Each structure stands twice: as structure tokens, then as C-alpha cells.
Amino acid sequence: MATIDVQDLTLRYGDVTALDGVTFSLRDPGIYGLLGRNASGKTTFLSVLAGFRKATAGAVLLDGRPVFEDPDAMAQVCLIREGGDTVDGSENVEAALSFAQRMRPRWDHDYALGLLERFQLSPKKKVGQLSRGQRAALAVTLGLASRAPVTAFDESYLGMDAPSRYAFYDELLRDYMEHPRTVMLSTHHIEEVSSLLEEVVIIDRGRLLMQAEAETLRTRGATVTGPAEAVDRFATRLQVLNERRLGPTKSVVVYGTFDGDHRRQAADAGLEVGPLPLQDLFVHLTGATSSEMAMTAAGSGGATGAGQ
Amino acid sequence: MFDERSPIYRQIADRIKADVLSGVLQADEQVMSTNQYASFYRINPATAAKAFQELVDEGVLYKRRGVGMFVSPEAAERLRSEHRGRFFSDVLEPMVREAQAIGIPLSEVVRHIEQLAEEVE
């Protein structure tokens, strides 16, 4: 088991506060989405989780023990960064696997070789000569075959083409079901992975914006379109994240608990209610102007800590 | 594969219910496992498990420990009576509204329904 407790985690680089009092917990096992815009603090958080960086204040606990400078804890966490920069470019792919085999107590070498085949990656090829997509394929191979109790993919799969990404999703799910563990997918592009996620943690400008079950979030957002006045009247009782106008027509993105009664009222008022994909909800929640509102929404909507 | 309008688990539960209603899934027949569902639809197994739990709670499926999930013998009848209860509000009411909105007299709607009924029989 590998329960992760992030407690009031703060990390500063000189004047820059990369993480500011972040607190949340992840149960084991689970596939979690760590979402945030560029420079939101995702990678900094993962570096602390993997024991690469020391927190300025607060801590990340793995099964109740701080990870920093704890070799046992660090061996349990496998962080895969984009491009798989854990290996030296002059080595070949096979050597990269052997290195991982020595580092990772639960490494499955046959599985790793099978993955290389699936991603059509030659073990003899020099790591430095791999294309971006091939480097990404090697990176996810290292992550999956490590079978580490905590495995984090930091945008690692984004460099792969669509067929390889889908192969990765299938492999991740299959291997996760056979060997349940804690998997984190860190990304700002969630469309493809949203159905894989049990829970999402959204970080925005160094702070925890929300933690919620992916399924819960799917019911929390909607677009409402119709005559401007009717839309305004309907939206007064909901949190509006975004609004756009086209002549007499208005379209708003609302956030909140949206039940059957709401839908009926909208239909009666002649309004069109559309679904809001998780990706769009994320964009609106972390948009430059709507972030403050979103934080209020997260609090009043009770999304933070849902599923605990 | 899923729309984002409702939680995925509910969409899966609805699909299984539809299969029970149409007879694709028979009484006491085993349904695919949570993991098979998760792989097939490329979804988190916890999401699939949630769908199954809802169906067990509603009496559509029952669990045989260590074996899997099966269709309750009374599931089809129960779902049919449930749907009968919602038919007028879910199907007929919107149709009548739509007919009024676009100016089709209700007498004409009734005439068409009678015609359809004859064809079906």
C-alpha cells in the first residue's frame, strides 16, 4: 500500500512561490489526474513527491513517512518525465531498461520487452537517436514496467502519436487492473484520459483548486444557451464561469449541482442545455479571470475532498 | 464512446438495463466482469464497479461471490414496469409539447398513433 498525504506543502524558488500550502490525500490504489496549466506547480509537486526536491514547508508523506531523503520511500515512487530524461543519450534502449531493472525492485523485464515490441521500439537503438515519439514510448515503458507502488507520468505520453497513446492507455489500464497501484497522470490535456481517471486534483498557480471524483465533475458543468434574458434569469442561481453573446443569444458556462429539476426548468424556459467536457470545465476553472470564482465554487459546491 | 452529459457509470448501467429489457441479457445470465467492461470501454475499473453496484442496489443484477454478476430473474419485469411508469411523462409529454409548438393539432397526432398501432399489429 502507498497512501500519499500532502500536508500544507509549500515550495519557493527564491522569490517565486511554486507551491503554496497544498494539502490533499490519495488513496491506494487509484488512477489520478493531476491537472493544471503550464507553470501551475504540477512538475514541482511531482519532484517533491519523488524526493528530488526538499519542501520549503510542509511535507509529502508516503504511508505516513516523509519521502525526502528516505531511500525506501524514494524507491517506491517512479516519476517519468516527458522524454524520459532519466537515461543517458549515448546508451541504447536495452541499457536504459537494465538501469531501471537495477533501480526498481518490482521491475518486470519481460513486460518491458513486450512493451517495446508493442511500441515498435528497437532495444538496440541509441536513446539519443530516438524521435520525440520514441523517447516518449521508452519513457512510458520505463514507468509501466517499474510497477512502482506510486508511478507518476508527467506529460510523458504527450509526445506519442495517437495510435501509440491509445496503446499506452490500454496497457496502463490492463496492467493497473492486474497490479493495482497508485498512478498519477499529470497533464493539461485531459480529453483522452478523462475516462481513465478515478479522481482529479487541479492545481492552479501553486494552490490546490479542487480535488473531486471525475464522475462528479462530469455532472457539475453545463452550457446553457438561449435568449439572453432567459439565460440570465436561469443562471442567477448558478455559478457562471464564462459567458458569450451572439446578438440576442447568450451562452453561459455554469458550474454547480445540476439536477433533473434544473434541466426541466431550462427546457420550460426554452433554453438549450449542453454537456461540458472535463477539458472545457478545466479550461474555465483555471482561466485567468475566472480562477477566483472557481475557488468559491469549489468550496460551495463541496467538490473538494469528494469521494473521501 | 460516451457523451459527457451524465456520469459514465450511469451510462453503463443504462446500457445494461437496455440489454435486459431487449432480452439480449437473459435472466440468470452472467454479465461481463468489471475489468472486462473497463478494458472494453477504456474506463477506470472503479467507474465500471460503480455501475454494477448501482444495478445490484436496484435489483437488476445479483452477485455470486467469487463467480461474478448475474441478471436477476425479476429484472426484466421490474424494468418494464418502471419504464411503464415513466412512459407518459418521458415520451408522451414532450411529444405533445412539440406538436403544440409547431402547430400540429392533437387530433392529427391521435390519428397517426392509431394508424401506427394498426400497422404494428
Side-chain angles (χ1 to χ4, degrees), chain A residues 31 166 170 173 176-177 195-198 213 215 218-219 268 273 275 277-278, chain B residues 4-10 35 38-39 41-47 50 97:
Chain A
I31 301 178
Y166 280 93
D170 286 343
L173 257 187
Y176 167 76
M177 289 190 283
S195 69
L196 302 179
L197 307 175
E198 192 169 338
E213 273 184 51
E215 288 281 76
R218 262 185 266 281
T219 62
D268 288 349
V273 178
L278 222 48
Chain B
E4 300 250 353
R5 197 178 296 265
S6 60
I8 293 172
Y9 80 89
R10 205 162 290 155
N35 282 3
S39 305
Y41 289 118
R42 208 178 264 132
I43 57 169
N44 192 294
T47 306
K50 206 168 167 181
R97 273 174 209 266

Side-chain angles (χ1 to χ4, degrees), chain A:
Chain A
M1 296 299 270
T3 311
I4 296 169
D5 283 302
V6 182
Q7 295 182 340
D8 207 15
L9 183 66
T10 298
L11 198 133
R12 292 192 197 94
Y13 305 108
D15 291 344
V16 181
T17 303
L19 291 171
D20 188 5
V22 173
T23 299
F24 65 91
S25 298
L26 301 179
R27 285 157 299 147
D28 177 69
I31 301 178
Y32 299 97
L34 178 64
L35 313 179
R37 302 177 63 180
N38 290 329
S40 56
K42 302 187 300 282
T43 298
T44 302
F45 164 70
L46 292 174
S47 307
V48 179
L49 171 69
F52 297 164
R53 278 184 198 287
K54 188 177 191 297
T56 310
V60 176
L61 307 183
L62 195 62
D63 290 329
R65 290 165 57 186
V67 287
F68 190 69
E69 290 186 334
D70 179 343
D72 290 342
M74 283 175 69
Q76 289 199 58
V77 181
C78 177
L79 169 58
I80 298 296
R81 300 197 231 195
E82 190 178 15
D85 59 0
T86 47
V87 289
D88 179 1
S90 64
E91 303 266 26
N92 64 17
V93 169
E94 206 166 29
L97 298 194
S98 302
F99 180 69
Q101 185 170 27
R102 288 194 298 277
M103 295 283 293
R104 299 287 164 199
R106 299 177 196 216
W107 177 261
D108 185 331
H109 204 67
D110 289 339
Y111 180 51
L113 294 175
L115 286 172
L116 288 188
E117 214 163 291
R118 175 138 198 200
F119 292 127
Q120 299 172 338
L121 204 55
S122 160
K124 299 292 171 208
K125 200 150 181 182
K126 290 261 191 299
V127 172
Q129 289 167 356
L130 298 177
S131 68
R132 184 179 177 221
Q134 288 172 323
R135 284 180 81 94
L138 171 60
V140 304
T141 298
L142 295 174
L144 287 172
S146 80
R147 297 254 166 83
V150 177
T151 309
F153 296 95
D154 190 7
E155 315 210 315
S156 344
Y157 50 92
L158 292 183
M160 297 195 280
D161 59 13
S164 300
R165 284 201 308 279
Y166 280 93
F168 167 59
Y169 304 147
D170 286 343
E171 282 299 335
L172 171 65
L173 257 187
R174 200 173 60 81
D175 203 60
Y176 167 76
M177 289 190 283
E178 279 174 30
H179 305 274
R181 53 203 195 260
T182 297
V183 176
M184 299 189 76
L185 300 174
S186 158
T187 186
H188 55 82
H189 189 83
I190 45 185
E191 201 74 66
E192 285 180 2
V193 295
S194 82
S195 69
L196 302 179
L197 307 175
E198 192 169 338
E199 235 174 81
V200 297
V201 172
I202 304 180
I203 294 183
D204 191 39
R205 287 175 277 181
R207 289 167 179 267
L208 177 73
L209 190 63
M210 69 166 64
Q211 177 182 18
E213 273 184 51
E215 288 281 76
T216 305
L217 282 186
R218 262 185 266 281
T219 62
R220 288 273 162 88
T223 58
V224 180
T225 308
E229 247 176 64
V231 169
D232 284 339
R233 221 173 307 128
F234 179 77
T236 46
R237 286 156 299 131
L238 293 158
Q239 185 87 40
V240 177
L241 296 182
N242 185 269
E243 51 178 81
R244 299 202 292 178
R245 251 192 111 126
L246 180 68
T249 304
K250 191 169 181 179
S251 180
V252 293
V253 172
V254 292
Y255 177 82
T257 309
F258 211 70
D259 56 22
D261 277 350
H262 280 108
R263 288 185 194 283
R264 221 158 299 132
Q265 282 167 16
D268 288 349
L271 302 176
E272 196 184 311
V273 178
L276 188 68
L278 222 48
Q279 174 77 39
D280 291 24
L281 181 62
F282 165 70
V283 166
H284 293 303
L285 286 174
T286 57
T289 54
S290 51
S291 198
E292 304 304 320
M293 283 198 289
M295 251 179 269
T296 334
S300 62
T304 304
Q308 299 298 304

Side-chain angles (χ1 to χ4, degrees), chain B residues 65-107:
Chain B
R65 209 166 284 280
V67 188
M69 296 279 188
F70 296 82
V71 179
S72 304
E74 66 277 14
E77 187 42 46
R78 185 180 298 191
L79 289 172
R80 262 194 291 276
S81 82
E82 233 182 74
H83 278 225
R84 271 197 291 272
R86 288 203 315 261
F87 176 79
F88 292 100
S89 62
D90 286 6
V91 180
L92 203 62
E93 233 183 81
M95 185 186 79
V96 170
R97 273 174 209 266
E98 174 81 8
Q100 277 176 330
I102 57 178
I104 299 177
L106 285 184
S107 58

